[in-house]
């Protein structure tokens, strides 16, 4: 491949290296230049362009990325559409993501032009979750390098998702006078929620005295009925001869390991009775926060029960820190009758500077429509819809925005990094959602024509498509806002940066996109004083801070 600047007279058929935007002339990186393109560029005063000229054996960036992604088919991994040389890979099943570091390193050593980045080995994933990305750095790669990379992917074990098995599970809970029954009830619910991620079911719970003989008897009985046994002790394990490991031995089973180098999770016990795994859960597993119990449980559910040496190797990365922006994925699931859309939450973005309003006209979200401040009107629209809850992300003039929302049942989340762009507000909003939310309706704060009925129409479409598609409002011909993001898109949305919104996710091709016509309201926003007045609003008092 030849790369560099060339005069327009020599650029026909070459690949544009950098995007160009000159008045009405807009050409994207990777575009193959035509004679018409060159004529328009010449008319705009351009004399040379930076291009790539592909040799006969070269393969374009998108074609190369798609070929590499296709090589992962059959590994419970599917590829999104390639764009600018990148293609993202997603799990098709709930399971355990496996990646062999030595094989991945060898792949990335083939050619710096070809890169593969993925989750950590043994990461638990859900369907639709992004597990890896392939990026072709230049505009094309040599056919020889591509062939070597394809051969490396063909080596068994480079990367795959091992699907979780659906197991029948029994719970043995020991009690002492100091342990409240409500704690035991919550523990049962939380374990059931953890198991539900794999389709497994907690079929039975038995509560016995904190005594090795009593626990051993239940292990023997349950091993005849269930495919896995979890024991929650009323008191923490302090010795290999303590109640839970002693009970496993008395039942005729084997103790693989007492203790693990993962914190929280140090006091885990792992054993078995025949082919039935028995886990003595550490006390931290009574919490939804990630801990060593989750790591061991995921491996067993994926058909890879860890050995003592496997657990001994978990120390690097075994210090688990809670990430404030990451929703807790294992909150107890409370089954109750809910109205349609109750598991969709609204993320109302109200953090921007509204710079196009100018200093004299004040903040657009504090303009008045029918005597009501715009941001309060937008929050009221969200609350009157079928959505279950509303998060409002504030930033610029957060105190004034908050005061305008006084008395409304909304949760305020402040984005201290609002100046960096929309992506930071989206991260804050999604990070504040509860774990049982299946979709986020991303609502801009400056769209006064939207009504609760419009939002309900989007929510109904989201439910009709099983909560797996991106739902986007349109005016029949043009795409607009709001959009609903499914939970499977949250991780990628929280990885966005800069002044980027949901469009990047839509264009990735990872999720189906369903357009729902709601009329002109999908395109009506008020970014300028003239737009406020044209929409029937009154700008904030001049001179507002």
């Amino acid at each position: 491949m030849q790369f560099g600047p060339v005069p327009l007279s020599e650029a026909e058929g070459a690949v544009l290296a950098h995007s160009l935007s000159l008045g009405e002339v807009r050409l994207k990186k990777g575009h193959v230049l035509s004679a018409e393109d060159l004529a328009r560029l010449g008319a705009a005063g351009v004399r040379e362009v930076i291009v790539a000229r592909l040799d006969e054996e070269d393969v374009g960036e998108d074609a190369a990325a798609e070929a590499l992604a296709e090589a992962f088919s059959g590994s419970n991994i599917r590829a999104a559409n390639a764009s600018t040389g990148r293609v993202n890979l997603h799990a098709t099943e709930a399971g355990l993501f496996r990646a062999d570091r030595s094989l991945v390193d060898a792949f990335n050593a083939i050619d710096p032009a070809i890169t593969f980045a993925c989750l950590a080995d043994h990461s638990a994933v859900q369907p639709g979750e992004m597990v890896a990305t392939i990026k072709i750095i230049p505009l094309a790669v040599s056919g020889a390098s591509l062939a070597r990379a394809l051969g490396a992917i063909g080596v068994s074990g480079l990367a795959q998702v091992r699907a979780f098995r659906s197991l029948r599970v029994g719970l043995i809970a020991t009690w002492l006078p100091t342990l409240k029954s409500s704690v035991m009830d919550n523990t049962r619910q939380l374990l059931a929620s953890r198991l539900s991620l794999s389709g497994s079911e907690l079929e039975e719970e038995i509560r016995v005295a904190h005594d090795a003989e009593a626990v051993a008897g239940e292990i023997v009985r349950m091993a005849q009925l269930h495919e896995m046994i979890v024991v929650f002790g009323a008191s923490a394990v302090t010795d290999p001869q303590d109640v839970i490991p002693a009970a496993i031995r008395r039942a005729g089973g084997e103790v693989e390991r007492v203790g693990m180098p993962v914190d929280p999770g140090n006091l885990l016990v792992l054993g078995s009775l025949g082919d039935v795994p028995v886990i003595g859960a550490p006390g931290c597993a009574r919490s939804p926060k990630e801990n060593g119990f989750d790591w061991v449980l995921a491996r067993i559910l994926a058909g890879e029960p860890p050995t003592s040496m496997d657990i001994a190797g978990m120390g690097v990365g075994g210090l688990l820190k809670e990430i404030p922006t990451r929703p807790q994925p294992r909150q107890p699931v409370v089954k109750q009758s809910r109205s349609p859309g109750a598991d969709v939450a609204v993320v109302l973005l109200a953090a921007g500077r509204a710079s196009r309003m100018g200093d004299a006209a004040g903040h657009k979200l504090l303009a008045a429509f029918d005597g009501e401040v715009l941001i309060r009107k937008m929050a009221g629209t969200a609350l009157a819809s079928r959505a279950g809850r509303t998060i409002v992300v504030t930033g610029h003039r957060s105190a004034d925005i908050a005061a305008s929302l006084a008395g409304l049942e909304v949760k305020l989340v402040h984005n201290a990094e609002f100046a960096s762009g929309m992506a930071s507000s989206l991260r804050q909003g999604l990070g504040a959602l509860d774990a049982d939310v299946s979709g986020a309706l991303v609502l801009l704060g400056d769209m006064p024509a939207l009504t609760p009925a419009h939002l309900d129409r989007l929510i109904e479409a989201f439910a009709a498509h099983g909560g797996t598609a991106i739902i986007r409002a349109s005016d029949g011909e043009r795409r607009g806002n709001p959009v609903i993001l499914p939970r499977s898109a949250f991780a990628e949305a929280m990885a966005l940066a800069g002044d980027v919104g949901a469009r990047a996710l839509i264009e990735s091709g990872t999720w189906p996109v369903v357009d729902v016509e709601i009329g002109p309201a999908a395109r009506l926003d008020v970014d300028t004083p003239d737009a406020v007045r044209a929409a029937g609003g009154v700008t904030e008092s001049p001179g507002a801070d």
Side-chain angles (χ1 to χ4, degrees), residues 202-215:
L202 180 58
E203 294 191 334
E204 177 186 5
E205 180 198 17
I206 189 73
R207 299 181 181 182
V208 300
H210 191 66
D211 174 80
E213 194 66 38
V215 175

mmCIF file with all atom_site columns, all heavy atoms in Angstrom, residues 202-215:
data_model
loop_
_atom_site.group_PDB
_atom_site.id
_atom_site.type_symbol
_atom_site.label_atom_id
_atom_site.label_alt_id
_atom_site.label_comp_id
_atom_site.label_asym_id
_atom_site.label_entity_id
_atom_site.label_seq_id
_atom_site.pdbx_PDB_ins_code
_atom_site.Cartn_x
_atom_site.Cartn_y
_atom_site.Cartn_z
_atom_site.occupancy
_atom_site.B_iso_or_equiv
_atom_site.pdbx_formal_charge
_atom_site.auth_seq_id
_atom_site.auth_comp_id
_atom_site.auth_asym_id
_atom_site.auth_atom_id
_atom_site.pdbx_PDB_model_num
ATOM 1   N N   . LEU A 1 202 ? -32.925 -22.171 41.817 1.00 0.00 ? 202 LEU A N   1
ATOM 2   C CA  . LEU A 1 202 ? -32.782 -22.585 43.211 1.00 0.00 ? 202 LEU A CA  1
ATOM 3   C C   . LEU A 1 202 ? -34.051 -23.357 43.561 1.00 0.00 ? 202 LEU A C   1
ATOM 4   O O   . LEU A 1 202 ? -35.099 -22.766 43.803 1.00 0.00 ? 202 LEU A O   1
ATOM 5   C CB  . LEU A 1 202 ? -32.601 -21.371 44.115 1.00 0.00 ? 202 LEU A CB  1
ATOM 6   C CG  . LEU A 1 202 ? -32.432 -21.651 45.603 1.00 0.00 ? 202 LEU A CG  1
ATOM 7   C CD1 . LEU A 1 202 ? -31.245 -22.567 45.869 1.00 0.00 ? 202 LEU A CD1 1
ATOM 8   C CD2 . LEU A 1 202 ? -32.288 -20.348 46.377 1.00 0.00 ? 202 LEU A CD2 1
ATOM 9   N N   . GLU A 1 203 ? -33.962 -24.678 43.573 1.00 0.00 ? 203 GLU A N   1
ATOM 10  C CA  . GLU A 1 203 ? -35.158 -25.501 43.717 1.00 0.00 ? 203 GLU A CA  1
ATOM 11  C C   . GLU A 1 203 ? -35.542 -25.765 45.159 1.00 0.00 ? 203 GLU A C   1
ATOM 12  O O   . GLU A 1 203 ? -36.697 -26.103 45.437 1.00 0.00 ? 203 GLU A O   1
ATOM 13  C CB  . GLU A 1 203 ? -34.949 -26.844 42.998 1.00 0.00 ? 203 GLU A CB  1
ATOM 14  C CG  . GLU A 1 203 ? -34.822 -26.698 41.484 1.00 0.00 ? 203 GLU A CG  1
ATOM 15  C CD  . GLU A 1 203 ? -34.878 -28.027 40.779 1.00 0.00 ? 203 GLU A CD  1
ATOM 16  O OE1 . GLU A 1 203 ? -34.520 -29.049 41.413 1.00 0.00 ? 203 GLU A OE1 1
ATOM 17  O OE2 . GLU A 1 203 ? -35.290 -28.062 39.606 1.00 0.00 ? 203 GLU A OE2 1
ATOM 18  N N   . GLU A 1 204 ? -34.583 -25.619 46.087 1.00 0.00 ? 204 GLU A N   1
ATOM 19  C CA  . GLU A 1 204 ? -34.892 -25.995 47.465 1.00 0.00 ? 204 GLU A CA  1
ATOM 20  C C   . GLU A 1 204 ? -33.971 -25.243 48.426 1.00 0.00 ? 204 GLU A C   1
ATOM 21  O O   . GLU A 1 204 ? -32.805 -25.015 48.141 1.00 0.00 ? 204 GLU A O   1
ATOM 22  C CB  . GLU A 1 204 ? -34.683 -27.503 47.659 1.00 0.00 ? 204 GLU A CB  1
ATOM 23  C CG  . GLU A 1 204 ? -34.909 -27.985 49.085 1.00 0.00 ? 204 GLU A CG  1
ATOM 24  C CD  . GLU A 1 204 ? -34.553 -29.450 49.290 1.00 0.00 ? 204 GLU A CD  1
ATOM 25  O OE1 . GLU A 1 204 ? -34.030 -30.086 48.342 1.00 0.00 ? 204 GLU A OE1 1
ATOM 26  O OE2 . GLU A 1 204 ? -34.778 -29.946 50.405 1.00 0.00 ? 204 GLU A OE2 1
ATOM 27  N N   . GLU A 1 205 ? -34.536 -24.859 49.566 1.00 0.00 ? 205 GLU A N   1
ATOM 28  C CA  . GLU A 1 205 ? -33.728 -24.340 50.668 1.00 0.00 ? 205 GLU A CA  1
ATOM 29  C C   . GLU A 1 205 ? -34.087 -25.113 51.926 1.00 0.00 ? 205 GLU A C   1
ATOM 30  O O   . GLU A 1 205 ? -35.272 -25.346 52.203 1.00 0.00 ? 205 GLU A O   1
ATOM 31  C CB  . GLU A 1 205 ? -33.972 -22.853 50.909 1.00 0.00 ? 205 GLU A CB  1
ATOM 32  C CG  . GLU A 1 205 ? -33.135 -22.317 52.066 1.00 0.00 ? 205 GLU A CG  1
ATOM 33  C CD  . GLU A 1 205 ? -33.649 -20.992 52.634 1.00 0.00 ? 205 GLU A CD  1
ATOM 34  O OE1 . GLU A 1 205 ? -34.822 -20.651 52.355 1.00 0.00 ? 205 GLU A OE1 1
ATOM 35  O OE2 . GLU A 1 205 ? -32.894 -20.327 53.368 1.00 0.00 ? 205 GLU A OE2 1
ATOM 36  N N   . ILE A 1 206 ? -33.079 -25.501 52.695 1.00 0.00 ? 206 ILE A N   1
ATOM 37  C CA  . ILE A 1 206 ? -33.293 -26.131 53.992 1.00 0.00 ? 206 ILE A CA  1
ATOM 38  C C   . ILE A 1 206 ? -32.444 -25.399 55.018 1.00 0.00 ? 206 ILE A C   1
ATOM 39  O O   . ILE A 1 206 ? -31.309 -25.029 54.741 1.00 0.00 ? 206 ILE A O   1
ATOM 40  C CB  . ILE A 1 206 ? -32.942 -27.647 53.968 1.00 0.00 ? 206 ILE A CB  1
ATOM 41  C CG1 . ILE A 1 206 ? -33.386 -28.310 55.268 1.00 0.00 ? 206 ILE A CG1 1
ATOM 42  C CG2 . ILE A 1 206 ? -31.477 -27.865 53.682 1.00 0.00 ? 206 ILE A CG2 1
ATOM 43  C CD1 . ILE A 1 206 ? -34.868 -28.479 55.386 1.00 0.00 ? 206 ILE A CD1 1
ATOM 44  N N   . ARG A 1 207 ? -33.017 -25.141 56.199 1.00 0.00 ? 207 ARG A N   1
ATOM 45  C CA  . ARG A 1 207 ? -32.293 -24.463 57.266 1.00 0.00 ? 207 ARG A CA  1
ATOM 46  C C   . ARG A 1 207 ? -32.069 -25.445 58.405 1.00 0.00 ? 207 ARG A C   1
ATOM 47  O O   . ARG A 1 207 ? -33.019 -26.067 58.893 1.00 0.00 ? 207 ARG A O   1
ATOM 48  C CB  . ARG A 1 207 ? -33.063 -23.228 57.737 1.00 0.00 ? 207 ARG A CB  1
ATOM 49  C CG  . ARG A 1 207 ? -33.242 -22.208 56.616 1.00 0.00 ? 207 ARG A CG  1
ATOM 50  C CD  . ARG A 1 207 ? -33.992 -20.951 57.058 1.00 0.00 ? 207 ARG A CD  1
ATOM 51  N NE  . ARG A 1 207 ? -34.147 -20.042 55.929 1.00 0.00 ? 207 ARG A NE  1
ATOM 52  C CZ  . ARG A 1 207 ? -34.730 -18.836 55.984 1.00 0.00 ? 207 ARG A CZ  1
ATOM 53  N NH1 . ARG A 1 207 ? -35.227 -18.406 57.153 1.00 0.00 ? 207 ARG A NH1 1
ATOM 54  N NH2 . ARG A 1 207 ? -34.816 -18.077 54.916 1.00 0.00 ? 207 ARG A NH2 1
ATOM 55  N N   . VAL A 1 208 ? -30.795 -25.585 58.787 1.00 0.00 ? 208 VAL A N   1
ATOM 56  C CA  . VAL A 1 208 ? -30.420 -26.542 59.825 1.00 0.00 ? 208 VAL A CA  1
ATOM 57  C C   . VAL A 1 208 ? -29.511 -25.853 60.833 1.00 0.00 ? 208 VAL A C   1
ATOM 58  O O   . VAL A 1 208 ? -29.017 -24.751 60.602 1.00 0.00 ? 208 VAL A O   1
ATOM 59  C CB  . VAL A 1 208 ? -29.702 -27.771 59.231 1.00 0.00 ? 208 VAL A CB  1
ATOM 60  C CG1 . VAL A 1 208 ? -30.596 -28.493 58.231 1.00 0.00 ? 208 VAL A CG1 1
ATOM 61  C CG2 . VAL A 1 208 ? -28.389 -27.360 58.563 1.00 0.00 ? 208 VAL A CG2 1
ATOM 62  N N   . ALA A 1 209 ? -29.288 -26.535 61.951 1.00 0.00 ? 209 ALA A N   1
ATOM 63  C CA  . ALA A 1 209 ? -28.380 -26.012 62.974 1.00 0.00 ? 209 ALA A CA  1
ATOM 64  C C   . ALA A 1 209 ? -26.964 -25.920 62.407 1.00 0.00 ? 209 ALA A C   1
ATOM 65  O O   . ALA A 1 209 ? -26.586 -26.657 61.501 1.00 0.00 ? 209 ALA A O   1
ATOM 66  C CB  . ALA A 1 209 ? -28.399 -26.921 64.202 1.00 0.00 ? 209 ALA A CB  1
ATOM 67  N N   . HIS A 1 210 ? -26.179 -25.012 62.969 1.00 0.00 ? 210 HIS A N   1
ATOM 68  C CA  . HIS A 1 210 ? -24.789 -24.835 62.532 1.00 0.00 ? 210 HIS A CA  1
ATOM 69  C C   . HIS A 1 210 ? -23.954 -25.957 63.147 1.00 0.00 ? 210 HIS A C   1
ATOM 70  O O   . HIS A 1 210 ? -23.195 -25.759 64.106 1.00 0.00 ? 210 HIS A O   1
ATOM 71  C CB  . HIS A 1 210 ? -24.280 -23.458 62.969 1.00 0.00 ? 210 HIS A CB  1
ATOM 72  C CG  . HIS A 1 210 ? -22.963 -23.087 62.342 1.00 0.00 ? 210 HIS A CG  1
ATOM 73  N ND1 . HIS A 1 210 ? -22.825 -22.862 60.997 1.00 0.00 ? 210 HIS A ND1 1
ATOM 74  C CD2 . HIS A 1 210 ? -21.721 -22.920 62.889 1.00 0.00 ? 210 HIS A CD2 1
ATOM 75  C CE1 . HIS A 1 210 ? -21.570 -22.546 60.730 1.00 0.00 ? 210 HIS A CE1 1
ATOM 76  N NE2 . HIS A 1 210 ? -20.880 -22.600 61.870 1.00 0.00 ? 210 HIS A NE2 1
ATOM 77  N N   . ASP A 1 211 ? -24.099 -27.123 62.532 1.00 0.00 ? 211 ASP A N   1
ATOM 78  C CA  . ASP A 1 211 ? -23.502 -28.341 63.076 1.00 0.00 ? 211 ASP A CA  1
ATOM 79  C C   . ASP A 1 211 ? -23.063 -29.215 61.906 1.00 0.00 ? 211 ASP A C   1
ATOM 80  O O   . ASP A 1 211 ? -23.825 -29.410 60.947 1.00 0.00 ? 211 ASP A O   1
ATOM 81  C CB  . ASP A 1 211 ? -24.524 -29.070 63.950 1.00 0.00 ? 211 ASP A CB  1
ATOM 82  C CG  . ASP A 1 211 ? -24.027 -30.419 64.428 1.00 0.00 ? 211 ASP A CG  1
ATOM 83  O OD1 . ASP A 1 211 ? -23.257 -30.453 65.405 1.00 0.00 ? 211 ASP A OD1 1
ATOM 84  O OD2 . ASP A 1 211 ? -24.414 -31.418 63.783 1.00 0.00 ? 211 ASP A OD2 1
ATOM 85  N N   . ALA A 1 212 ? -21.853 -29.762 61.971 1.00 0.00 ? 212 ALA A N   1
ATOM 86  C CA  . ALA A 1 212 ? -21.306 -30.541 60.863 1.00 0.00 ? 212 ALA A CA  1
ATOM 87  C C   . ALA A 1 212 ? -22.164 -31.753 60.534 1.00 0.00 ? 212 ALA A C   1
ATOM 88  O O   . ALA A 1 212 ? -22.371 -32.084 59.352 1.00 0.00 ? 212 ALA A O   1
ATOM 89  C CB  . ALA A 1 212 ? -19.872 -30.971 61.180 1.00 0.00 ? 212 ALA A CB  1
ATOM 90  N N   . GLU A 1 213 ? -22.687 -32.424 61.560 1.00 0.00 ? 213 GLU A N   1
ATOM 91  C CA  . GLU A 1 213 ? -23.476 -33.628 61.320 1.00 0.00 ? 213 GLU A CA  1
ATOM 92  C C   . GLU A 1 213 ? -24.777 -33.289 60.589 1.00 0.00 ? 213 GLU A C   1
ATOM 93  O O   . GLU A 1 213 ? -25.188 -33.986 59.644 1.00 0.00 ? 213 GLU A O   1
ATOM 94  C CB  . GLU A 1 213 ? -23.779 -34.314 62.648 1.00 0.00 ? 213 GLU A CB  1
ATOM 95  C CG  . GLU A 1 213 ? -24.291 -35.746 62.501 1.00 0.00 ? 213 GLU A CG  1
ATOM 96  C CD  . GLU A 1 213 ? -23.240 -36.687 61.937 1.00 0.00 ? 213 GLU A CD  1
ATOM 97  O OE1 . GLU A 1 213 ? -22.051 -36.557 62.297 1.00 0.00 ? 213 GLU A OE1 1
ATOM 98  O OE2 . GLU A 1 213 ? -23.618 -37.535 61.099 1.00 0.00 ? 213 GLU A OE2 1
ATOM 99  N N   . ALA A 1 214 ? -25.433 -32.215 61.016 1.00 0.00 ? 214 ALA A N   1
ATOM 100 C CA  . ALA A 1 214 ? -26.692 -31.810 60.392 1.00 0.00 ? 214 ALA A CA  1
ATOM 101 C C   . ALA A 1 214 ? -26.473 -31.398 58.933 1.00 0.00 ? 214 ALA A C   1
ATOM 102 O O   . ALA A 1 214 ? -27.254 -31.759 58.044 1.00 0.00 ? 214 ALA A O   1
ATOM 103 C CB  . ALA A 1 214 ? -27.317 -30.672 61.183 1.00 0.00 ? 214 ALA A CB  1
ATOM 104 N N   . VAL A 1 215 ? -25.410 -30.645 58.694 1.00 0.00 ? 215 VAL A N   1
ATOM 105 C CA  . VAL A 1 215 ? -25.115 -30.204 57.329 1.00 0.00 ? 215 VAL A CA  1
ATOM 106 C C   . VAL A 1 215 ? -24.751 -31.396 56.452 1.00 0.00 ? 215 VAL A C   1
ATOM 107 O O   . VAL A 1 215 ? -25.185 -31.500 55.301 1.00 0.00 ? 215 VAL A O   1
ATOM 108 C CB  . VAL A 1 215 ? -23.979 -29.151 57.327 1.00 0.00 ? 215 VAL A CB  1
ATOM 109 C CG1 . VAL A 1 215 ? -23.595 -28.790 55.889 1.00 0.00 ? 215 VAL A CG1 1
ATOM 110 C CG2 . VAL A 1 215 ? -24.415 -27.896 58.084 1.00 0.00 ? 215 VAL A CG2 1
#
